[in-house]
């Protein structure tokens, strides 16, 4: 009798081990707490939706997918430790990078040490990433400091009254600062007069004096290198001193709060996806939008629209699925070799990894959107503009 | 050459942010100086107050009216917290560690209820601003200034001229002698801890009126407000306001006339200078 129980227990352990071996474990961290957690929450919801749908389709290579997700608390040092854990303790098969440049750089360093492939959606400084098995999936160009300002200045050049002067003000948050400094050169080459250039530390609390300086400079175009709510705090401070810039651009804003604030009206920003045609003409995108709106609301996120962040996350998972199916393998080197040769269609467009840094050449997947009556609408380039939308500059 | 308008607007901006520093530092300073309680959770309480203001305003209450609920609730919480500290004879250093833990718990609670995403109170106060020549004075910041000045003065007067204040100061200076003269130090300590937490609730209203909220922003204020408390003098009611305005104006003028990224250096430079020049104050 006792021997029978022992055999039963051993069989159960064996079954559990077999089930474990039959899952594909994908490991990542996200900023679920800390200063970047507002965006981390968006990536979490998007990833959960994808894994659920993927498993309904049968998973990867006939194996269920398990997403091992850890909280890096928005800290690169912790991200580094957690990626070590994911590889050595959790023994994940594949890796996705965390959110934001500094944490991604930390994670890629660990992946490189263990010769693991890693996909990432939001690293804003390509020159920091030299590892040949890191694959950016957010659509960022290889030269964001040139291509992205070019795109923005192209857009505002088509405003009803194209700007002649520009004020470039920026947070010292690494990626946005780097792109804003590049914008100075682009503006100069285009003959725009720079009336002021200001920098502040990420986490700045008082925008009153900065606003007063912008008002005094009175630019035709205010280029704000900001992330999260920094840009909103600045335009709010401008509004308090009765000044509205004719055109204002925010690099990577928290879209929800800006959309609800009166000072945010007509703000421009970068995006790769908005939930309107032509983006939602893709049935996969339309289905994701519907599910995400619902899930984000249930997750108590005040802004439940799909835009740059959620779409970038979704595109990452699409890339992994395409690569695993294409290479018919979860071997790191086989996947990397396949990706170097094959573009992948995602909801943000076709991703390619053909430059030495694996980043996209040019800002092909980026667009400029504008807040119009509380809604974000793509206004540039025209072929991606929301039906009937064009850049407004009152 | 910067204009007079820029100078005046920057000065006003510095006074406004300084008033908020002062208001945040007021409760912290009193609890630290008079009770020996270094309450890091003061910042978390202020943000909890901000989120409650946001939530109650969504339910239709005027943001200022929310104080009628938040102040008594926070007072009770502060008194209860001190009762626990007194019950377990928590030292000043241990209070720092315990309240740091409490901060993490409150932050997690805020994130659980309101998520990590940004929340923003859109109130009718936000649209109001007054013009004084070339100077613009926004109403939310004026409310902060008025509250900070009124509460600092009221507490200064209470500590200086009332029996309650005199007893409190006597307890802080020599509890044994104060008790020998019939001062009920325990009751006074509960009262002061309650007042300190209630002040965090008031600061929360001011934060909600002017800022976009996210749980992690709790920590953004810790450094500068600690500098304000140290500069203002522990246990002082007027000191934090004065120190806050000095730091706020210094930061604003730095941002207006040099690179704004230099502004955060100001508060700690002032603190270091004071520690070197007047170490006897500490």
């Amino acid at each position: 009798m006792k021997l029978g129980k022992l055999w039963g227990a051993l069989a159960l352990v064996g079954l559990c081990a077999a089930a474990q071996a039959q899952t594909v474990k994908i490991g990542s961290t996200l900023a679920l707490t800390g200063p970047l957690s507002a965006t981390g929450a968006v990536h979490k919801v998007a990833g959960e939706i994808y894994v659920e749908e993927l498993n309904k389709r049968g998973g990867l290579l006939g194996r269920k997918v398990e997403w091992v997700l850890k909280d890096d608390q928005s800290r690169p040092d912790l991200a580094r430790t957690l990626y070590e854990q994911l590889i050595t303790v959790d023994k994940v098969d594949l890796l996705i990078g965390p959110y934001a440049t500094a944490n991604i750089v930390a994670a890629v360093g660990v992946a490189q040490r263990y010769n693991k492939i890693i996909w990432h959606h939001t690293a804003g400084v390509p020159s920091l990433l030299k590892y040949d098995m890191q694959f950016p999936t957010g659509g960022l160009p290889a030269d964001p400091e040139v291509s992205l300002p070019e795109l923005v200045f192209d857009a505002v050049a088509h405003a009803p009254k194209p700007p002649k002067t520009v004020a470039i003000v920026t947070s010292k948050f690494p990626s946005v600062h780097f792109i804003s400094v590049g914008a100075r050169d682009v503006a100069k080459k285009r003959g725009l007069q720079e009336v002021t250039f200001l920098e502040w530390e990420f986490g700045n609390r008082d925008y009153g004096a900065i606003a007063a300086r912008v008002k005094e400079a009175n630019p035709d175009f205010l280029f704000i290198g900001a992330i999260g709510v920094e840009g909103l705090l600045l335009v709010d401070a401008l509004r308090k001193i009765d000044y509205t810039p004719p055109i204002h651009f925010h690099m990577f804003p928290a879209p929800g709060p800006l959309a609800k604030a009166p000072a945010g009206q007509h703000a421009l920003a970068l995006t790769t996806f908005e939930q309107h045609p032509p983006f939602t003409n893709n049935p996969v995108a339309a289905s994701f939008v519907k599910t995400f709106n619902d899930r984000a609301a249930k997750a108590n996120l005040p802004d439940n629209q799909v835009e740059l962040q959620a779409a970038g996350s979704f595109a990452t998972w699409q890339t992994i699925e395409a690569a695993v199916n294409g290479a018919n393998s979860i071997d790191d080197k086989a996947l990397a070799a396949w990706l170097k040769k094959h573009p992948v269609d995602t909801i943000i467009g076709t991703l390619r990894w053909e430059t030495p840094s694996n980043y996209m050449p040019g800002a092909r997947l980026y667009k400029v959107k504008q807040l119009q009556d509380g809604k974000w609408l793509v206004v540039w380039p025209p072929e991606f503009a929301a039906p009937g939308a064009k850049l407004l500059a009152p | 050459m910067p204009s007079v308008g820029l100078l005046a607007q920057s000065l006003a901006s510095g006074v406004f942010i300084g008033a908020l520093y002062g208001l945040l530092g007021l409760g912290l300073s009193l609890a630290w100086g008079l009770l020996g309680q270094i309450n890091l959770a003061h910042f978390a309480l202020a943000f909890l107050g901000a989120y409650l203001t946001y939530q109650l305003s969504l339910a239709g209450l005027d943001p200022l009216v929310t104080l009628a609920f938040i102040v008594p609730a926070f007072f009770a919480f502060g008194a209860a917290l001190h009762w626990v500290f007194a019950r377990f004879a928590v030292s000043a250093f241990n209070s720092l560690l315990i309240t740091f833990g409490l901060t993490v718990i409150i932050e997690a609670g805020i994130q659980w209820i309101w998520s990590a995403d940004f929340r923003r109170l859109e109130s009718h106060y936000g649209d109001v601003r007054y013009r004084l020549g070339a100077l613009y004075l926004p109403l939310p910041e004026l409310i902060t200034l008025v509250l900070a000045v009124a509460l600092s003065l009221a507490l200064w007067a209470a500590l200086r001229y009332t029996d309650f204040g005199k007893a409190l100061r006597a307890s802080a200076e020599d509890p044994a002698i104060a008790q020998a003269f019939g001062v009920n130090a325990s009751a006074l300590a509960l009262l002061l801890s309650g007042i300190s937490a209630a002040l965090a609730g008031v600061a929360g209203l001011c934060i909600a009126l002017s800022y976009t909220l996210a749980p992690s922003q709790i920590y953004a204020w810790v450094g500068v407000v600690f500098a304000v408390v140290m500069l203002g003098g522990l246990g002082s009611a007027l000191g934090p306001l004065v120190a806050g305005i000095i730091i706020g104006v210094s930061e604003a003028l730095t941002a207006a006339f040099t690179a704004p990224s230099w502004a955060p250096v100001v508060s700690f430079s002032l603190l270091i200078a004071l520690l070197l020049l007047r170490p006897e104050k500490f």
Side-chain angles (χ1 to χ4, degrees):
Chain A
M1 184 67 185
K2 277 184 184 169
L3 200 63
K5 277 186 183 169
L6 180 66
W7 281 117
L10 283 173
L12 194 64
V13 170
L15 278 173
C16 289
Q20 281 266 311
Q22 279 170 5
T23 61
V24 175
K25 289 170 92 173
I26 301 180
S28 73
T29 75
L30 281 174
L32 300 178
T33 54
L36 305 173
S37 53
T39 315
V42 171
H43 286 274
K44 181 171 182 278
V45 174
E48 285 169 350
I49 291 170
Y50 200 96
V51 171
E52 200 178 298
E53 298 288 325
L54 181 61
N55 281 332
K56 277 186 197 162
R57 292 195 294 271
L60 292 173
L61 306 178
R63 291 158 61 181
K64 292 285 180 199
V65 170
E66 181 192 351
W67 185 19
V68 184
L69 175 64
K70 295 173 188 271
D71 176 14
D72 61 37
Q73 300 175 16
S74 311
R75 288 165 44 199
D77 58 322
L78 183 57
R80 188 177 299 114
T81 305
L82 292 176
Y83 275 85
E84 289 269 358
Q85 275 182 18
L86 285 168
I87 295 168
T88 59
V89 180
D90 298 293
K91 300 201 183 302
V92 299
D93 299 296
L94 303 170
L95 290 172
I96 297 177
Y99 168 63
T101 305
N103 289 26
I104 290 172
V105 171
V108 168
V110 180
Q112 183 167 15
R113 206 159 348 112
Y114 289 92
N115 289 315
K116 296 290 294 175
I117 189 169
I118 184 166
W119 291 269
H120 55 86
H121 30 59
T122 44
V125 190
S127 60
L128 295 176
L129 297 163
K130 308 284 188 198
Y131 177 43
D132 61 350
M133 285 209 290
Q134 56 81 28
F135 289 89
T137 46
L140 200 79
D143 58 347
E145 76 282 16
V146 178
S147 295
L148 295 180
E150 287 276 8
L151 178 73
V152 174
F153 286 117
D154 273 348
V156 296
H158 288 80
K161 193 180 165 196
K164 291 185 178 139
T165 60
V166 61
I168 298 176
V169 298
T170 180
S171 164
K172 283 194 162 180
F173 191 86
S175 49
V176 297
H177 183 260
F178 159 72
I179 297 168
S180 299
V181 171
R184 300 184 75 185
D185 293 331
V186 173
K188 196 174 171 187
K189 279 181 192 151
R190 287 173 170 249
L192 270 90
Q193 186 199 347
E194 183 185 282
V195 289
T196 192
F197 174 73
L198 301 171
E199 301 162 299
W200 64 82
E201 289 298 331
F202 178 61
N204 181 49
R205 290 170 298 270
D206 182 20
Y207 287 85
I210 299 170
R213 287 179 77 169
V214 170
K215 183 179 180 180
E216 184 146 287
N218 192 22
D220 296 336
F221 174 37
L222 176 59
F223 184 106
I224 309 172
I227 193 159
V229 290
E230 291 178 309
L232 170 58
L233 292 173
L234 176 57
V235 289
D236 235 4
L238 286 167
R239 192 163 184 266
K240 284 173 181 172
I241 56 173
D242 205 27
Y243 179 76
T244 306
I247 310 176
H248 52 116
F249 163 77
H250 304 240
M251 200 173 294
F252 297 119
L258 200 57
K260 290 183 188 111
Q265 178 71 338
H266 297 128
L268 298 169
L270 291 168
T271 190
T272 52
F273 183 97
E274 292 301 313
Q275 52 177 66
H276 60 64
F279 303 96
T280 48
N281 294 342
N282 174 344
V284 175
S287 164
F288 172 56
V289 163
K290 195 164 174 289
T291 315
F292 184 88
N293 292 166
D294 182 44
R295 292 290 184 81
K298 280 186 184 146
N300 202 18
L301 301 184
D303 179 40
N304 57 8
Q305 304 286 294
V306 176
E307 47 83 61
L308 176 84
Q309 300 294 343
S313 229
F314 194 86
T316 304
W317 287 95
Q318 284 186 298
T319 304
I320 295 172
E321 186 180 2
V324 171
N325 289 338
N328 197 27
S329 169
I330 55 166
D331 175 73
D332 298 276
K333 289 198 169 70
L335 289 167
W338 188 90
L339 283 167
K340 283 296 232 178
K341 288 182 192 150
H342 299 87
V344 173
D345 287 328
T346 70
I347 62 168
I348 63 171
T350 303
L351 292 170
R352 298 168 201 279
W353 300 274
E354 54 206 16
T355 65
S357 67
N358 288 345
Y359 273 81
M360 301 271 294
R364 284 188 294 204
L365 298 189
Y366 267 77
K367 287 97 194 168
V368 176
K369 63 181 176 180
Q370 186 172 40
L371 253 181
Q372 297 184 2
D373 295 324
K375 285 188 179 158
W376 285 106
L377 303 174
V378 169
V379 291
W380 188 264
E383 62 270 29
F384 290 98
K390 56 184 178 182
L391 196 149
L392 302 177
Chain B
M1 182 68 184
S3 67
V4 176
L6 172 62
L7 176 67
Q9 199 65 58
S10 302
L11 271 172
S13 173
V15 169
F16 290 140
I17 188 83
L20 184 53
Y21 293 160
L23 189 52
L24 271 165
L26 180 57
L28 191 66
S29 173
L30 292 178
W32 191 348
L34 300 177
L35 299 178
Q37 190 185 92
I38 311 173
N39 186 4
L40 266 182
H42 193 76
F43 300 93
L45 278 179
F47 269 80
L48 181 61
Y51 274 95
L52 288 172
T53 304
Y54 162 81
Q55 195 63 47
L56 292 170
S57 301
L58 281 188
L61 282 182
D62 185 285
L64 288 179
V65 175
T66 63
L67 286 179
F69 300 93
I70 291 170
V71 166
F74 276 45
F75 178 90
F77 179 84
L81 183 68
H82 188 76
W83 181 84
V84 173
F85 279 14
R87 171 74 182 74
F88 294 100
V90 175
S91 67
F93 179 68
N94 285 346
S95 73
L96 186 71
L97 296 176
I98 291 169
T99 55
F100 177 71
L102 192 57
T103 302
V104 174
I105 292 168
I106 294 173
E107 184 196 2
I110 289 173
Q111 183 159 329
W112 184 62
I113 297 168
W114 288 283
S115 84
D117 211 347
F118 297 103
R119 304 276 167 166
R120 186 179 162 81
L121 171 65
E122 294 295 345
S123 81
H124 57 281
Y125 296 114
D127 292 329
V128 183
R129 54 188 173 269
Y130 303 103
R131 191 169 176 184
L132 203 68
L135 192 64
Y136 288 88
L137 304 170
L139 184 56
E141 278 74 5
L142 279 174
I143 291 172
T144 301
L145 180 63
V146 168
L147 284 172
V149 171
L151 289 169
S152 299
L153 282 174
L155 279 164
W156 171 78
L159 285 174
R160 193 172 176 87
Y161 297 114
T162 66
D163 289 344
F164 156 75
K166 286 172 188 167
L168 252 179
R169 286 189 289 137
S171 290
E173 204 163 302
D174 194 329
I177 295 289
Q179 279 187 335
F181 278 84
V183 171
N184 186 346
S186 309
L188 286 175
L190 288 178
L191 189 62
L192 184 65
S193 188
I195 289 171
S196 172
L199 287 168
V202 178
L205 162 80
C206 301
I207 291 170
L209 283 176
S210 299
Y211 290 88
T212 303
L213 307 175
S216 61
Q217 284 170 359
I218 289 169
Y219 305 100
W221 299 82
V222 174
V224 70
V225 174
F226 261 89
V228 162
V229 168
M230 298 297 282
L231 282 170
L234 300 181
S236 164
L238 284 181
L241 180 65
V242 174
I245 289 176
I246 289 171
I247 287 180
V249 168
S250 310
E251 285 181 345
L253 293 181
T254 308
F257 297 110
T258 66
S261 54
W262 282 96
V265 178
V266 171
S267 46
F268 293 101
S269 302
L270 283 171
L271 182 63
I272 290 167
L274 196 75
L275 284 169
L276 291 174
L277 296 173
R278 296 191 63 193
E280 72 279 2
K281 283 270 289 176
F282 304 95

